[in-house]
Amino acid sequence: EVQLVESGGGLVQPGRSLRLSCAASGFTFDDYAMHWVRQAPGEGLEWVSGISWNTDNIGYADSVKGRFTVSRDNAKNSLYLQMNSLRAEDTALYYCAKDKAPHITGTVDWGQGTLVTVSS
Amino acid sequence: QSALTQPPSASGSPGQSVTISCTGTRSDLGRYKDVSWYQQHPGKAPKLMIYEVNKRPSGVPDRFSGSKSGNTASLTVSGLQAEDEADYYCSSYAGSNSVVFGGGTKLTVL
């Protein structure tokens, strides 16, 4: 059974940084691309970033490009999202998600999410 | 990276069929086969219902079906049941290692 457990969320001031982590289990982590998808309170889903199995292919939403960095450690079965220069509009539940393929397709299975609140 | 367009709401009575549309462009949904649909109940994580336009993951009832024509994809739920009431989101691969979601449709079972 695929298990994705996010951590690292919390309350942070605007302009500060935060690093999210996702611990994966139940599948061969380095066989799949991974993603971060967020959902602001009461809003829809927004794709944030994706990374292929070998990190050769990485993509970001325009809204986070230059501020967020995705990475993965296949030896630790872990996915990360470094979030810098945080803004109020980054407040959301951040989901870690597993792609169905080694490369980015966007078809994903989901974790339960970790909440990030950006506020002074 | 513009969001795909979905109607904000849809509804149907138990046993009826309802279709939700998802419109993109020829640069995203119209170009790629990686079109997916997700169901999200309140307070829960989304669940994959359809992938590659019309394929169902194991465990998803065959009451759920997907299709695509040009730049528009559709999700049809047949034989509506109370538990189908949820938010539904479409997504598509959009090229250059990017993905785009629709704004979501709230399905109400009357």
Side-chain angles (χ1 to χ4, degrees):
Chain A
E1 179 190 359
V2 170
Q3 287 207 332
L4 302 166
V5 180
E6 302 92 338
S7 61
L11 175 63
V12 61
Q13 293 179 328
R16 303 298 290 265
S17 299
L18 205 60
R19 189 193 194 209
L20 305 184
S21 300
C22 171
S25 61
F27 64 100
T28 303
F29 184 70
D30 54 11
D31 278 352
Y32 296 94
M34 297 293 294
H35 300 262
W36 289 99
V37 181
R38 68 185 181 184
Q39 187 169 32
E43 301 295 324
L45 302 171
E46 180 188 17
W47 177 79
V48 173
S49 180
I51 182 169
S52 63
W53 70 281
N54 61 358
T55 74
D56 278 359
N57 294 288
I58 292 176
Y60 297 98
D62 289 342
S63 57
V64 307
K65 202 171 292 183
R67 299 188 299 123
F68 290 11
T69 302
V70 65
S71 61
R72 63 188 295 162
D73 185 337
N74 288 345
K76 295 183 177 180
N77 290 349
S78 293
L79 176 72
Y80 306 100
L81 185 68
Q82 178 66 42
M83 304 186 295
N84 298 333
S85 304
L86 283 162
R87 306 167 180 168
E89 53 264 37
D90 295 320
T91 294
L93 185 63
Y94 283 73
Y95 291 103
C96 168
K98 166 192 166 290
D99 207 295
K100 69 172 177 61
H103 56 281
I104 293 169
T105 70
T107 296
V108 298
D109 291 312
W110 305 73
Q112 292 303 306
T114 186
L115 182 62
V116 173
T117 303
V118 184
S119 174
S120 55
Chain B
Q1 294 181 346
S2 298
L4 304 175
T5 300
Q6 297 181 234
S9 63
S11 63
S13 299
Q16 288 186 333
S17 293
V18 64
T19 296
I20 299 170
S21 64
C22 171
T23 301
T25 69
R26 60 183 180 182
S27 297
D28 43 53
L29 190 150
R31 182 171 183 178
Y32 299 101
K33 67 175 175 65
D34 287 308
V35 178
S36 305
W37 289 91
Y38 300 91
Q39 177 191 66
Q40 187 180 35
H41 288 109
K44 301 294 186 181
K47 174 187 175 183
L48 178 65
M49 304 300 285
I50 296 287
Y51 67 101
E52 290 182 13
V53 177
N54 56 14
K55 297 180 180 178
R56 278 188 310 277
S58 174
V60 173
D62 59 6
R63 302 185 293 103
F64 291 84
S65 62
S67 63
K68 188 179 86 166
S69 177
N71 300 334
T72 298
S74 299
L75 173 72
T76 298
V77 186
S78 305
L80 270 175
Q81 299 183 4
E83 60 262 34
D84 299 332
E85 185 162 296
D87 293 327
Y88 290 84
Y89 295 90
C90 60
S91 76
S92 173
Y93 181 69
S96 301
N97 300 308
S98 69
V99 177
V100 62
F101 280 91
T105 298
K106 182 177 181 60
L107 175 60
T108 300
V109 180
L110 301 171

mmCIF file of all heavy atoms in Angstrom, chain B residues 67-105:
data_model
loop_
_atom_site.group_PDB
_atom_site.id
_atom_site.type_symbol
_atom_site.label_atom_id
_atom_site.label_comp_id
_atom_site.label_asym_id
_atom_site.label_seq_id
_atom_site.Cartn_x
_atom_site.Cartn_y
_atom_site.Cartn_z
ATOM 1 N N SER B 67 -13.807 10.674 -21.136
ATOM 2 C CA SER B 67 -13.632 10.806 -22.568
ATOM 3 C C SER B 67 -12.969 12.140 -22.869
ATOM 4 O O SER B 67 -12.819 12.996 -21.987
ATOM 5 C CB SER B 67 -14.981 10.705 -23.299
ATOM 6 O OG SER B 67 -15.822 11.776 -22.903
ATOM 7 N N LYS B 68 -12.552 12.279 -24.131
ATOM 8 C CA LYS B 68 -11.939 13.547 -24.545
ATOM 9 C C LYS B 68 -12.236 13.784 -26.003
ATOM 10 O O LYS B 68 -12.186 12.855 -26.829
ATOM 11 C CB LYS B 68 -10.422 13.506 -24.322
ATOM 12 C CG LYS B 68 -9.730 14.851 -24.555
ATOM 13 C CD LYS B 68 -8.228 14.779 -24.300
ATOM 14 C CE LYS B 68 -7.470 14.327 -25.516
ATOM 15 N NZ LYS B 68 -6.004 14.581 -25.388
ATOM 16 N N SER B 69 -12.533 15.035 -26.325
ATOM 17 C CA SER B 69 -12.716 15.438 -27.709
ATOM 18 C C SER B 69 -12.076 16.805 -27.887
ATOM 19 O O SER B 69 -12.486 17.769 -27.239
ATOM 20 C CB SER B 69 -14.205 15.505 -28.067
ATOM 21 O OG SER B 69 -14.379 15.956 -29.392
ATOM 22 N N GLY B 70 -11.067 16.850 -28.710
ATOM 23 C CA GLY B 70 -10.367 18.112 -28.900
ATOM 24 C C GLY B 70 -9.745 18.607 -27.608
ATOM 25 O O GLY B 70 -8.975 17.898 -26.969
ATOM 26 N N ASN B 71 -10.088 19.826 -27.230
ATOM 27 C CA ASN B 71 -9.525 20.432 -26.021
ATOM 28 C C ASN B 71 -10.398 20.255 -24.790
ATOM 29 O O ASN B 71 -10.147 20.901 -23.756
ATOM 30 C CB ASN B 71 -9.292 21.929 -26.252
ATOM 31 C CG ASN B 71 -8.327 22.212 -27.391
ATOM 32 O OD1 ASN B 71 -7.470 21.383 -27.699
ATOM 33 N ND2 ASN B 71 -8.469 23.364 -28.020
ATOM 34 N N THR B 72 -11.423 19.407 -24.880
ATOM 35 C CA THR B 72 -12.345 19.218 -23.763
ATOM 36 C C THR B 72 -12.420 17.755 -23.357
ATOM 37 O O THR B 72 -12.631 16.875 -24.193
ATOM 38 C CB THR B 72 -13.747 19.721 -24.130
ATOM 39 O OG1 THR B 72 -13.699 21.120 -24.414
ATOM 40 C CG2 THR B 72 -14.727 19.491 -22.981
ATOM 41 N N ALA B 73 -12.237 17.527 -22.057
ATOM 42 C CA ALA B 73 -12.407 16.201 -21.483
ATOM 43 C C ALA B 73 -13.693 16.189 -20.675
ATOM 44 O O ALA B 73 -14.177 17.244 -20.237
ATOM 45 C CB ALA B 73 -11.223 15.843 -20.591
ATOM 46 N N SER B 74 -14.227 15.002 -20.479
ATOM 47 C CA SER B 74 -15.476 14.868 -19.725
ATOM 48 C C SER B 74 -15.415 13.680 -18.790
ATOM 49 O O SER B 74 -14.827 12.640 -19.121
ATOM 50 C CB SER B 74 -16.665 14.698 -20.680
ATOM 51 O OG SER B 74 -16.809 15.825 -21.522
ATOM 52 N N LEU B 75 -16.031 13.855 -17.642
ATOM 53 C CA LEU B 75 -16.228 12.775 -16.677
ATOM 54 C C LEU B 75 -17.727 12.536 -16.570
ATOM 55 O O LEU B 75 -18.486 13.473 -16.317
ATOM 56 C CB LEU B 75 -15.670 13.168 -15.308
ATOM 57 C CG LEU B 75 -15.971 12.185 -14.167
ATOM 58 C CD1 LEU B 75 -15.152 10.918 -14.327
ATOM 59 C CD2 LEU B 75 -15.701 12.836 -12.810
ATOM 60 N N THR B 76 -18.131 11.299 -16.773
ATOM 61 C CA THR B 76 -19.537 10.934 -16.633
ATOM 62 C C THR B 76 -19.701 9.992 -15.453
ATOM 63 O O THR B 76 -18.963 8.998 -15.350
ATOM 64 C CB THR B 76 -20.076 10.279 -17.911
ATOM 65 O OG1 THR B 76 -19.994 11.230 -18.987
ATOM 66 C CG2 THR B 76 -21.523 9.851 -17.732
ATOM 67 N N VAL B 77 -20.626 10.321 -14.597
ATOM 68 C CA VAL B 77 -20.977 9.453 -13.476
ATOM 69 C C VAL B 77 -22.382 8.932 -13.742
ATOM 70 O O VAL B 77 -23.341 9.712 -13.801
ATOM 71 C CB VAL B 77 -20.922 10.185 -12.135
ATOM 72 C CG1 VAL B 77 -21.150 9.211 -10.985
ATOM 73 C CG2 VAL B 77 -19.588 10.901 -11.960
ATOM 74 N N SER B 78 -22.492 7.647 -13.944
ATOM 75 C CA SER B 78 -23.789 7.030 -14.224
ATOM 76 C C SER B 78 -24.347 6.405 -12.954
ATOM 77 O O SER B 78 -23.595 6.058 -12.045
ATOM 78 C CB SER B 78 -23.638 5.959 -15.302
ATOM 79 O OG SER B 78 -23.032 6.482 -16.466
ATOM 80 N N GLY B 79 -25.670 6.259 -12.916
ATOM 81 C CA GLY B 79 -26.274 5.642 -11.748
ATOM 82 C C GLY B 79 -25.850 6.341 -10.457
ATOM 83 O O GLY B 79 -25.382 5.700 -9.522
ATOM 84 N N LEU B 80 -26.046 7.640 -10.424
ATOM 85 C CA LEU B 80 -25.598 8.447 -9.288
ATOM 86 C C LEU B 80 -26.007 7.838 -7.948
ATOM 87 O O LEU B 80 -27.148 7.394 -7.777
ATOM 88 C CB LEU B 80 -26.164 9.852 -9.380
ATOM 89 C CG LEU B 80 -25.357 10.909 -10.129
ATOM 90 C CD1 LEU B 80 -26.146 12.201 -10.217
ATOM 91 C CD2 LEU B 80 -23.999 11.130 -9.484
ATOM 92 N N GLN B 81 -25.047 7.890 -7.018
ATOM 93 C CA GLN B 81 -25.308 7.437 -5.664
ATOM 94 C C GLN B 81 -24.945 8.563 -4.698
ATOM 95 O O GLN B 81 -24.148 9.442 -5.023
ATOM 96 C CB GLN B 81 -24.493 6.181 -5.359
ATOM 97 C CG GLN B 81 -24.815 5.008 -6.254
ATOM 98 C CD GLN B 81 -24.043 3.748 -5.892
ATOM 99 O OE1 GLN B 81 -23.307 3.700 -4.912
ATOM 100 N NE2 GLN B 81 -24.220 2.701 -6.695
ATOM 101 N N ALA B 82 -25.520 8.497 -3.523
ATOM 102 C CA ALA B 82 -25.299 9.557 -2.538
ATOM 103 C C ALA B 82 -23.816 9.784 -2.258
ATOM 104 O O ALA B 82 -23.363 10.921 -2.093
ATOM 105 C CB ALA B 82 -26.036 9.226 -1.241
ATOM 106 N N GLU B 83 -23.041 8.707 -2.252
ATOM 107 C CA GLU B 83 -21.623 8.824 -1.921
ATOM 108 C C GLU B 83 -20.791 9.464 -3.036
ATOM 109 O O GLU B 83 -19.607 9.752 -2.845
ATOM 110 C CB GLU B 83 -21.022 7.465 -1.565
ATOM 111 C CG GLU B 83 -21.104 6.423 -2.653
ATOM 112 C CD GLU B 83 -22.277 5.484 -2.440
ATOM 113 O OE1 GLU B 83 -23.331 5.920 -1.939
ATOM 114 O OE2 GLU B 83 -22.117 4.299 -2.789
ATOM 115 N N ASP B 84 -21.427 9.692 -4.197
ATOM 116 C CA ASP B 84 -20.721 10.362 -5.290
ATOM 117 C C ASP B 84 -20.664 11.865 -5.074
ATOM 118 O O ASP B 84 -19.945 12.574 -5.790
ATOM 119 C CB ASP B 84 -21.392 10.073 -6.630
ATOM 120 C CG ASP B 84 -21.404 8.593 -6.976
ATOM 121 O OD1 ASP B 84 -20.489 7.862 -6.508
ATOM 122 O OD2 ASP B 84 -22.326 8.161 -7.696
ATOM 123 N N GLU B 85 -21.433 12.365 -4.116
ATOM 124 C CA GLU B 85 -21.425 13.803 -3.844
ATOM 125 C C GLU B 85 -20.049 14.187 -3.310
ATOM 126 O O GLU B 85 -19.606 13.714 -2.265
ATOM 127 C CB GLU B 85 -22.515 14.172 -2.840
ATOM 128 C CG GLU B 85 -22.624 15.672 -2.602
ATOM 129 C CD GLU B 85 -23.940 16.059 -1.974
ATOM 130 O OE1 GLU B 85 -25.000 15.877 -2.616
ATOM 131 O OE2 GLU B 85 -23.907 16.554 -0.835
ATOM 132 N N ALA B 86 -19.374 15.056 -4.056
ATOM 133 C CA ALA B 86 -17.986 15.416 -3.756
ATOM 134 C C ALA B 86 -17.548 16.499 -4.733
ATOM 135 O O ALA B 86 -18.299 16.890 -5.631
ATOM 136 C CB ALA B 86 -17.072 14.200 -3.889
ATOM 137 N N ASP B 87 -16.326 16.977 -4.547
ATOM 138 C CA ASP B 87 -15.701 17.859 -5.520
ATOM 139 C C ASP B 87 -14.897 17.005 -6.493
ATOM 140 O O ASP B 87 -14.240 16.038 -6.098
ATOM 141 C CB ASP B 87 -14.762 18.858 -4.832
ATOM 142 C CG ASP B 87 -15.516 19.851 -3.968
ATOM 143 O OD1 ASP B 87 -16.659 20.208 -4.313
ATOM 144 O OD2 ASP B 87 -14.968 20.263 -2.932
ATOM 145 N N TYR B 88 -14.941 17.388 -7.760
ATOM 146 C CA TYR B 88 -14.210 16.660 -8.799
ATOM 147 C C TYR B 88 -13.270 17.621 -9.523
ATOM 148 O O TYR B 88 -13.671 18.726 -9.893
ATOM 149 C CB TYR B 88 -15.184 16.016 -9.783
ATOM 150 C CG TYR B 88 -15.952 14.870 -9.160
ATOM 151 C CD1 TYR B 88 -17.108 15.110 -8.417
ATOM 152 C CD2 TYR B 88 -15.502 13.560 -9.293
ATOM 153 C CE1 TYR B 88 -17.791 14.070 -7.817
ATOM 154 C CE2 TYR B 88 -16.188 12.506 -8.696
ATOM 155 C CZ TYR B 88 -17.327 12.777 -7.958
ATOM 156 O OH TYR B 88 -18.003 11.739 -7.356
ATOM 157 N N TYR B 89 -12.042 17.165 -9.712
ATOM 158 C CA TYR B 89 -11.019 17.971 -10.372
ATOM 159 C C TYR B 89 -10.448 17.208 -11.556
ATOM 160 O O TYR B 89 -10.137 16.012 -11.449
ATOM 161 C CB TYR B 89 -9.878 18.296 -9.418
ATOM 162 C CG TYR B 89 -10.260 19.164 -8.244
ATOM 163 C CD1 TYR B 89 -10.704 18.603 -7.054
ATOM 164 C CD2 TYR B 89 -10.183 20.554 -8.329
ATOM 165 C CE1 TYR B 89 -11.064 19.395 -5.974
ATOM 166 C CE2 TYR B 89 -10.535 21.355 -7.249
ATOM 167 C CZ TYR B 89 -10.974 20.770 -6.079
ATOM 168 O OH TYR B 89 -11.323 21.565 -5.014
ATOM 169 N N CYS B 90 -10.258 17.914 -12.650
ATOM 170 C CA CYS B 90 -9.527 17.341 -13.766
ATOM 171 C C CYS B 90 -8.092 17.866 -13.728
ATOM 172 O O CYS B 90 -7.798 18.875 -13.086
ATOM 173 C CB CYS B 90 -10.174 17.688 -15.106
ATOM 174 S SG CYS B 90 -10.279 19.452 -15.467
ATOM 175 N N SER B 91 -7.208 17.145 -14.382
ATOM 176 C CA SER B 91 -5.836 17.618 -14.527
ATOM 177 C C SER B 91 -5.287 17.119 -15.853
ATOM 178 O O SER B 91 -5.792 16.154 -16.438
ATOM 179 C CB SER B 91 -4.949 17.134 -13.379
ATOM 180 O OG SER B 91 -4.617 15.770 -13.531
ATOM 181 N N SER B 92 -4.258 17.791 -16.324
ATOM 182 C CA SER B 92 -3.614 17.391 -17.570
ATOM 183 C C SER B 92 -2.128 17.691 -17.499
ATOM 184 O O SER B 92 -1.705 18.698 -16.913
ATOM 185 C CB SER B 92 -4.221 18.139 -18.750
ATOM 186 O OG SER B 92 -3.501 17.869 -19.945
ATOM 187 N N TYR B 93 -1.338 16.820 -18.110
ATOM 188 C CA TYR B 93 0.047 17.162 -18.341
ATOM 189 C C TYR B 93 0.038 18.334 -19.323
ATOM 190 O O TYR B 93 -0.770 18.381 -20.249
ATOM 191 C CB TYR B 93 0.817 15.977 -18.924
ATOM 192 C CG TYR B 93 2.267 16.291 -19.166
ATOM 193 C CD1 TYR B 93 3.142 16.483 -18.101
ATOM 194 C CD2 TYR B 93 2.778 16.403 -20.463
ATOM 195 C CE1 TYR B 93 4.476 16.775 -18.312
ATOM 196 C CE2 TYR B 93 4.110 16.691 -20.680
ATOM 197 C CZ TYR B 93 4.952 16.885 -19.604
ATOM 198 O OH TYR B 93 6.280 17.185 -19.815
ATOM 199 N N ALA B 94 0.928 19.302 -19.095
ATOM 200 C CA ALA B 94 0.889 20.521 -19.901
ATOM 201 C C ALA B 94 2.211 20.790 -20.620
ATOM 202 O O ALA B 94 2.447 21.890 -21.095
ATOM 203 C CB ALA B 94 0.527 21.704 -19.013
ATOM 204 N N GLY B 95 3.070 19.776 -20.683
ATOM 205 C CA GLY B 95 4.342 19.938 -21.357
ATOM 206 C C GLY B 95 5.395 20.589 -20.475
ATOM 207 O O GLY B 95 5.078 21.184 -19.444
ATOM 208 N N SER B 96 6.648 20.455 -20.872
ATOM 209 C CA SER B 96 7.766 21.075 -20.151
ATOM 210 C C SER B 96 7.736 20.752 -18.665
ATOM 211 O O SER B 96 7.974 21.634 -17.825
ATOM 212 C CB SER B 96 7.762 22.596 -20.368
ATOM 213 O OG SER B 96 7.875 22.907 -21.736
ATOM 214 N N ASN B 97 7.430 19.490 -18.380
ATOM 215 C CA ASN B 97 7.429 19.012 -16.987
ATOM 216 C C ASN B 97 6.457 19.780 -16.088
ATOM 217 O O ASN B 97 6.755 20.017 -14.901
ATOM 218 C CB ASN B 97 8.839 19.054 -16.403
ATOM 219 C CG ASN B 97 9.793 18.182 -17.172
ATOM 220 O OD1 ASN B 97 9.524 17.003 -17.398
ATOM 221 N ND2 ASN B 97 10.888 18.761 -17.644
ATOM 222 N N SER B 98 5.326 20.174 -16.617
ATOM 223 C CA SER B 98 4.333 20.885 -15.823
ATOM 224 C C SER B 98 2.974 20.195 -15.898
ATOM 225 O O SER B 98 2.691 19.431 -16.829
ATOM 226 C CB SER B 98 4.197 22.342 -16.279
ATOM 227 O OG SER B 98 3.592 22.407 -17.561
ATOM 228 N N VAL B 99 2.171 20.470 -14.909
ATOM 229 C CA VAL B 99 0.835 19.888 -14.783
ATOM 230 C C VAL B 99 -0.141 21.016 -14.466
ATOM 231 O O VAL B 99 0.216 21.978 -13.765
ATOM 232 C CB VAL B 99 0.809 18.834 -13.653
ATOM 233 C CG1 VAL B 99 -0.596 18.266 -13.467
ATOM 234 C CG2 VAL B 99 1.805 17.715 -13.954
ATOM 235 N N VAL B 100 -1.364 20.904 -14.966
ATOM 236 C CA VAL B 100 -2.365 21.922 -14.683
ATOM 237 C C VAL B 100 -3.643 21.251 -14.199
ATOM 238 O O VAL B 100 -4.021 20.177 -14.704
ATOM 239 C CB VAL B 100 -2.617 22.809 -15.913
ATOM 240 C CG1 VAL B 100 -3.168 22.009 -17.082
ATOM 241 C CG2 VAL B 100 -3.511 23.979 -15.572
ATOM 242 N N PHE B 101 -4.285 21.852 -13.221
ATOM 243 C CA PHE B 101 -5.553 21.357 -12.690
ATOM 244 C C PHE B 101 -6.705 22.259 -13.128
ATOM 245 O O PHE B 101 -6.501 23.441 -13.448
ATOM 246 C CB PHE B 101 -5.531 21.341 -11.156
ATOM 247 C CG PHE B 101 -4.824 20.158 -10.567
ATOM 248 C CD1 PHE B 101 -3.477 20.211 -10.290
ATOM 249 C CD2 PHE B 101 -5.515 18.994 -10.273
ATOM 250 C CE1 PHE B 101 -2.811 19.122 -9.741
ATOM 251 C CE2 PHE B 101 -4.857 17.891 -9.724
ATOM 252 C CZ PHE B 101 -3.507 17.962 -9.465
ATOM 253 N N GLY B 102 -7.894 21.702 -13.108
ATOM 254 C CA GLY B 102 -9.098 22.489 -13.261
ATOM 255 C C GLY B 102 -9.494 23.107 -11.929
ATOM 256 O O GLY B 102 -8.969 22.732 -10.880
ATOM 257 N N GLY B 103 -10.427 24.050 -11.994
ATOM 258 C CA GLY B 103 -10.837 24.747 -10.788
ATOM 259 C C GLY B 103 -11.736 23.941 -9.871
ATOM 260 O O GLY B 103 -11.983 24.341 -8.732
ATOM 261 N N GLY B 104 -12.219 22.807 -10.364
ATOM 262 C CA GLY B 104 -13.060 21.943 -9.538
ATOM 263 C C GLY B 104 -14.540 22.133 -9.786
ATOM 264 O O GLY B 104 -14.999 23.238 -10.105
ATOM 265 N N THR B 105 -15.283 21.039 -9.651
ATOM 266 C CA THR B 105 -16.742 21.041 -9.795
ATOM 267 C C THR B 105 -17.351 20.373 -8.585
ATOM 268 O O THR B 105 -16.980 19.239 -8.250
ATOM 269 C CB THR B 105 -17.171 20.289 -11.065
ATOM 270 O OG1 THR B 105 -16.634 20.945 -12.209
ATOM 271 C CG2 THR B 105 -18.692 20.223 -11.164
#
